[in-house]
Amino acid sequence: MSTRTPWWIRIPLLFFIIFGLMEYFIDSGEKPAIIEYPITQFFMLMVLMILIAIELILSSIENVMFQTLSPEAKERYLESKAKKREWTWAKKMYKRLTKTREIEKEGEIILDHNYDGIRELDNVLPPWWVYLFYATIIFGVVYLIRFHVAGDYDQKLEYEQEVAAAKIAIEEYKKTAKDLVDVNTVEFLSEAADLSAGEKIFATSCVACHMADGGGGIGPNLTDEYWILGGGIKNVFNTISEGGRDGKGMIAWKQSLKPLEMAQVASYILTLGGTTAANPKAPEGEIWVDPDAPESEEIIEEAPMEQVSDSTDVAMN
């Protein structure tokens, strides 16, 4: 008489099967269905309660049927339930992988060596170890031919390819994640859409202090090369975000503008440099030089040396 699988295996197994089917058939996006749709939690609770109820009913039926058996049948039934479940297939697989000998058969492989009563057995190497050793040999031959004979890619080339792919991925990510920019990662936005958006923000929030053409009013002139808190996209972005000088500078706009909007207006402000304002304000601050800009190489042209030749007129008499 075969015994059923224990309840503590059946109930979790059926529960997780139903849970997996629910997750497979319910489209919940990136979140699990049980989190995205709270009603599924109630459903799974009901499923668990039903499974427990079924187990209780089966146990009751089994107990009733047991009472109807004869004493001999009850004894056989109890003996069958007392037997431990044996994983015969697992034992066979383990024996094939290790080729171990039972203790009773060790006399067949015992050697003549005897060291103070310690005898040596002539066991074979475990097949799993032998197969793994052969696999490493095959791998080594393939590796040797591919990278040392055929001259496939090396570590340097692989590194360069991965770096190039990472840079492409970063650029693609920046296109869709511009709003995650900060003062350390901000870059000049040269696309027409970004500059147009920056111009609109400037016209809405900045003209009161800097004039529509950037010539300056209450705020400084944005068309010259002088900057109070430094020029360049990072400094301008930081000034817009954190505000100007304490007590007399511009307010901080980080509570009103998103990072992308601050990057757009900062990029637009940089395009005003070098333009001619209608009524420019006097320069304020200092001339700013980008420290990251490549140093300009001064080409010193030497003036060609004039060749002076003395001419002597020889009069032939």
Side-chain angles (χ1 to χ4, degrees):
M1 182 177 181
S2 60
T3 58
R4 295 185 297 122
T5 306
W7 65 268
W8 49 270
I9 295 179
R10 287 197 305 271
I11 291 181
L13 181 61
L14 292 173
F15 182 82
F16 283 110
I17 289 175
I18 296 173
F19 177 79
L21 291 173
M22 182 185 68
E23 290 290 341
Y24 179 78
F25 287 105
I26 298 178
D27 185 9
S28 57
E30 296 181 355
K31 295 182 179 180
I34 199 170
I35 296 177
E36 185 68 17
Y37 304 106
I39 189 64
T40 57
Q41 300 177 11
F42 175 76
F43 171 76
M44 294 304 299
L45 179 61
M46 293 299 297
V47 168
L48 181 60
M49 293 178 65
I50 291 172
L51 291 175
I52 294 174
I54 292 174
E55 286 297 326
L56 292 175
I57 293 172
L58 291 176
S59 297
S60 300
I61 295 174
E62 185 178 16
N63 188 33
V64 171
M65 294 181 66
F66 177 77
Q67 299 301 326
T68 61
L69 296 176
S70 62
E72 295 80 8
K74 288 181 179 180
E75 186 177 352
R76 291 196 302 268
Y77 178 76
L78 293 175
E79 288 178 357
S80 64
K81 290 199 69 173
K83 289 182 179 179
K84 294 182 179 179
R85 183 179 297 272
E86 295 183 358
W87 301 90
T88 54
W89 64 271
K91 289 185 177 181
K92 291 180 180 179
M93 181 62 67
Y94 177 79
K95 191 172 182 179
R96 288 179 182 178
L97 291 176
T98 59
K99 284 191 176 181
T100 56
R101 294 265 186 150
E102 293 80 0
I103 297 178
E104 295 80 7
K105 296 182 180 180
E106 285 185 351
E108 301 175 3
I109 58 173
I110 196 167
L111 297 177
D112 296 333
H113 303 161
N114 190 334
Y115 301 96
D116 296 333
I118 300 174
R119 307 296 294 273
E120 182 180 359
L121 298 178
D122 189 17
N123 282 314
V124 297
L125 287 173
W128 68 265
W129 189 93
V130 176
Y131 298 151
L132 185 61
F133 179 69
Y134 291 154
T136 58
I137 294 176
I138 295 173
F139 175 82
V141 172
V142 173
Y143 186 91
L144 177 67
I145 295 175
R146 180 178 179 183
F147 294 102
H148 294 278
V149 178
D152 205 346
Y153 68 90
D154 55 10
Q155 290 182 339
K156 180 180 179 182
L157 178 60
E158 184 179 9
Y159 169 77
E160 293 174 350
Q161 291 175 344
E162 290 182 357
V163 169
K167 289 182 178 179
I168 295 174
I170 290 173
E171 293 301 323
E172 292 297 326
Y173 175 76
K174 286 181 178 179
K175 292 179 181 178
T176 58
K178 292 181 178 180
D179 213 26
L180 299 179
V181 69
D182 58 20
V183 68
N184 297 314
T185 60
V186 65
E187 294 180 357
F188 178 79
L189 303 177
S190 58
E191 296 183 7
D194 291 320
L195 294 177
S196 177
E199 183 179 6
K200 292 179 181 178
I201 297 171
F202 185 86
T204 303
S205 307
C206 308
V207 294
C209 297
H210 297 283
M211 300 301 170
D213 57 3
I218 299 175
N221 184 358
L222 301 176
T223 63
D224 57 26
E225 56 185 350
Y226 289 83
W227 295 89
I228 298 175
L229 297 176
I233 186 65
K234 295 185 183 297
N235 288 322
V236 175
F237 179 92
N238 185 66
T239 302
I240 296 172
S241 174
E242 306 300 327
R245 296 165 293 175
D246 294 337
K248 55 181 178 179
M250 182 178 65
I251 64 171
W253 287 90
K254 60 183 178 182
Q255 303 298 334
S256 304
L257 299 176
K258 297 179 180 179
L260 174 59
E261 294 173 333
M262 291 189 291
Q264 290 171 335
V265 70
S267 299
Y268 173 73
I269 289 173
L270 293 180
T271 63
L272 297 175
T275 60
T276 302
N279 187 21
K281 189 178 180 181
E284 297 178 80
E286 299 177 352
I287 296 178
W288 184 80
V289 179
D290 188 358
D292 298 327
E295 297 181 0
S296 58
E297 297 180 357
E298 297 181 357
I299 301 176
I300 302 175
E301 298 183 355
E302 296 182 356
M305 297 178 62
E306 297 181 357
Q307 295 180 353
V308 180
S309 58
D310 294 334
S311 59
T312 303
D313 294 332
V314 180
M316 302 293 294
N317 291 331

